[in-house]
Amino acid sequence: MDDDFLLNRGAVVACLASLGRFESTQINNMLTFIQNNRNIKELELLIIRQAGRGVIDHQIRDEIVKTILDIGKSCQNEDERVEKVKKFLGYIKWLYESLNVKKSNRGTAQQEQNAEGNRGTAQQEQNAEGNRGTAQQEQNAEGNRGTAQQEQNAEGTQDSEEKQLRKATEECYKLTFDTFVEKIINQNDPEQSQAKATQTGNG
């Protein structure tokens, strides 16, 4: 088990963490725990517990625990295993921080959905208040049709966002450390990314 293996697995975890539920303090907690306790089984239990509390996604949990188990198969003793696990967690920390992730745990899609729901409720209250006379009723009916269209549009937007998230998650599992670094460079240097795309197209 060499460093390349740990870097590749770390790239996958960092990418998954940038998309899903993952509080940045969690990786520090894992590192502190293993440094102080040096107990791999208890570390695995901590990770599973944190996933159960909802502070990390199950994909992230699975990838970290699977790597810890793989590390154990290649080590001669517990001290060697602990040191490699510490190195793996350190790689995740560096890789995740390199993404400069700033996001809410609830997710933008959920906030937009809630905001849309609040607007729909306000419209319904306005319609109920304004049910006076035929002209007003027709105006309310038109408003209700508009609200229904808004809700339909919101559902379509949410479906599209979910599809994009699934695709992005699938791409995370294809990452290696080298492709992760390339992703970061292209993210921070759009001109270089565009030049490479042009070169690829011409080739």
Side-chain angles (χ1 to χ4, degrees):
M1 171 110 22
D2 57 12
D3 286 351
D4 283 344
F5 175 85
L6 300 179
L7 283 166
N8 291 340
R9 287 286 181 89
V12 172
V13 174
C15 184
L16 290 172
S18 72
L19 297 174
R21 288 190 306 275
F22 187 82
E23 298 177 4
S24 58
T25 55
Q26 293 307 309
I27 193 64
N28 291 327
N29 291 343
M30 294 176 200
L31 276 165
T32 300
F33 183 90
I34 193 62
Q35 287 168 354
N36 292 339
N37 294 276
R38 300 186 68 83
N39 189 309
I40 296 296
K41 291 186 181 297
E42 289 184 1
L43 174 65
E44 292 170 352
L45 180 58
L46 171 66
I47 295 167
I48 293 170
R49 170 180 174 267
Q50 296 303 79
R53 292 178 58 205
V55 293
I56 63 174
D57 277 338
H58 68 274
Q59 294 102 327
I60 302 169
R61 173 203 65 196
D62 293 349
E63 197 66 25
I64 294 176
V65 172
K66 181 174 70 174
T67 302
I68 291 174
L69 293 174
D70 287 342
I71 289 171
K73 296 174 184 177
S74 70
C75 295
Q76 301 296 322
N77 54 64
E78 191 67 7
D79 284 340
E80 182 184 358
R81 186 183 182 192
V82 167
E83 291 306 313
K84 285 196 174 182
V85 168
K86 284 168 57 179
K87 180 176 284 191
F88 170 59
L89 294 176
Y91 286 156
I92 296 174
K93 176 180 172 63
W94 289 348
L95 290 162
Y96 180 73
E97 290 176 352
S98 72
L99 292 170
N100 193 28
V101 178
K102 295 178 181 178
K103 59 184 176 59
S104 166
N105 288 329
R106 294 185 180 86
T108 303
Q110 185 62 45
Q111 291 176 349
E112 292 176 349
Q113 183 180 3
N114 292 342
E116 187 64 38
N118 291 337
R119 285 195 291 272
T121 301
Q123 181 65 43
Q124 289 173 353
E125 292 174 354
Q126 183 179 357
N127 291 343
E129 184 65 29
N131 283 332
R132 299 186 186 91
T134 304
Q136 186 63 46
Q137 291 174 353
E138 291 176 352
Q139 183 178 357
N140 291 341
E142 186 66 31
N144 290 336
R145 284 194 291 273
T147 301
Q149 184 64 45
Q150 289 175 351
E151 292 174 351
Q152 185 177 359
N153 292 341
E155 290 176 0
T157 300
Q158 185 176 358
D159 288 343
S160 176
E161 289 174 348
E162 289 177 355
K163 289 178 181 178
Q164 291 176 0
L165 180 58
R166 281 197 299 271
K167 182 178 179 181
T169 301
E170 291 171 359
E171 290 300 317
C172 287
Y173 286 104
K174 300 176 184 177
L175 278 180
T176 64
F177 175 69
D178 289 340
T179 55
F180 183 94
V181 171
E182 185 177 355
K183 173 185 174 73
I184 295 298
I185 292 173
N186 290 341
Q187 175 180 296
N188 295 330
D189 190 355
E191 292 183 1
Q192 180 173 337
S193 178
Q194 182 62 36
K196 181 175 181 181
T198 304
Q199 183 178 8
T200 303
N202 293 335

